[in-house]
Amino acid sequence: LLLTTSPPPPSSPKKETGDPLRSSTGKRPSLHPTTINAISEALLRRATKTKEDTTKMRIDMRIDGIDPHEVAFAAGQIAMDAIQRRKDAVMKDDQDENMIFNREEGGTIAGRVVGVVMRFPDLERLLVERVRGCAWVAKYKEYDSFGVLESECLKEEMDKEMILREECRERIMMDPLFRMNRAECVLALFLSSVELPQMEALGQTLPGGSTVDFIDQDRLDVLSPS
């Protein structure tokens, strides 16, 4: 008795995922969006009053007696959560696994978030100084595009620190775009005034480099005047 069998069905082609061009060139994803999201989350965390919730670590260097280690740890955790959310999104959408940050990239993101959060007071002060010194921002009322209140830039209001801090806190909580713009600007200032000079002095580079390529040229000219 001759037994015959049907030929096996043709195998399905392997599903291609992600960006073929990015995969073929080896180009890595930008670290900036995830970093900015984490800094924005840190701004929100700082603006949220947590006196009733003792489970959240404080993240405001302006608090008298605050332990810098507590702030650094909280900022690092925010960064790691942002990195994990990106990884989960990549896996959920069946994207190219090359879009997941490697260890060095993740460390760079975390270092930047911690560096910015630990310097929030200085970076925000510098941000206000740069915006206050630009005539077209005042003329066209473009304060929001920098995540800065107009009242922060008015000399007659500068001595009302606690009032300004409360106004800014409320705006950061209620306006995600304002908060994101502020996050972008303080990151840009950190990269240009802290990270890049340090890397150049050491003759080193970080993944993706330290170039500020995530904001428009008009804002960049204000933040980094020649």
Side-chain angles (χ1 to χ4, degrees):
L1 181 63
L2 182 62
L3 297 179
T4 61
T5 58
S6 302
S11 59
S12 300
K14 184 178 180 180
K15 184 179 180 181
E16 297 290 342
T17 60
D19 184 342
L21 179 60
R22 184 182 292 273
S23 298
S24 65
T25 60
K27 184 176 180 180
R28 300 296 300 160
S30 173
L31 279 57
H32 296 319
T34 301
T35 306
I36 292 166
N37 286 337
I39 294 172
S40 177
E41 175 63 28
L43 285 169
L44 180 61
R45 174 83 66 85
R46 187 188 65 175
T48 305
K49 292 183 177 179
T50 58
K51 291 182 179 179
E52 298 79 13
D53 186 356
T54 58
T55 64
K56 289 186 177 180
M57 300 188 73
R58 296 174 298 175
I59 199 166
D60 192 347
M61 286 295 293
R62 300 170 301 185
I63 297 175
D64 290 337
I66 188 72
D67 183 354
H69 295 91
E70 179 182 358
V71 176
F73 185 85
Q77 188 59 58
I78 289 174
M80 297 310 296
D81 289 345
I83 293 168
Q84 185 61 48
R85 284 195 298 271
R86 177 185 170 80
K87 179 179 180 180
D88 292 344
V90 169
M91 301 302 292
K92 180 180 179 181
D93 295 341
D94 201 21
Q95 298 181 43
D96 188 345
E97 291 188 3
N98 287 325
M99 296 293 290
I100 297 174
F101 296 126
N102 60 36
R103 185 183 297 254
E104 187 179 7
E105 291 165 340
T108 299
I109 292 171
R112 285 172 176 168
V113 173
V114 172
V116 168
V117 171
M118 297 293 289
R119 294 173 176 81
F120 262 161
D122 293 335
L123 292 173
E124 289 174 304
R125 190 178 304 113
L126 179 58
L127 173 59
V128 170
E129 289 176 0
R130 296 284 169 81
V131 173
R132 184 189 299 129
C134 181
W136 68 259
V137 174
K139 180 178 180 179
Y140 298 106
K141 305 294 184 181
E142 285 291 331
Y143 299 100
D144 282 12
S145 63
F146 293 88
V148 170
L149 297 175
E150 180 177 6
S151 55
E152 290 182 275
C153 299
L154 299 178
K155 292 183 178 180
E156 59 268 23
E157 299 292 332
M158 289 171 57
D159 59 341
K160 303 176 183 178
E161 181 179 354
M162 297 308 298
I163 296 176
L164 288 175
R165 187 181 297 183
E166 182 64 18
E167 290 178 357
C168 191
R169 185 190 73 81
E170 293 179 356
R171 185 67 183 277
I172 286 172
M173 288 187 62
M174 301 300 296
D175 190 337
L177 180 57
F178 178 90
R179 184 171 67 245
M180 189 67 68
N181 288 340
R182 197 176 184 97
E184 289 179 345
C185 289
V186 293
L187 175 59
L189 289 171
F190 173 80
L191 293 177
S192 61
S193 63
V194 179
E195 181 179 287
L196 184 58
Q198 289 181 355
M199 291 298 102
E200 289 179 341
L202 295 172
Q204 299 177 359
T205 59
L206 291 172
S210 303
T211 303
V212 179
D213 57 4
F214 49 86
I215 61 175
D216 57 87
Q217 190 60 47
D218 286 341
R219 286 192 296 165
L220 187 59
D221 289 343
V222 174
L223 297 176
S224 304
S226 56

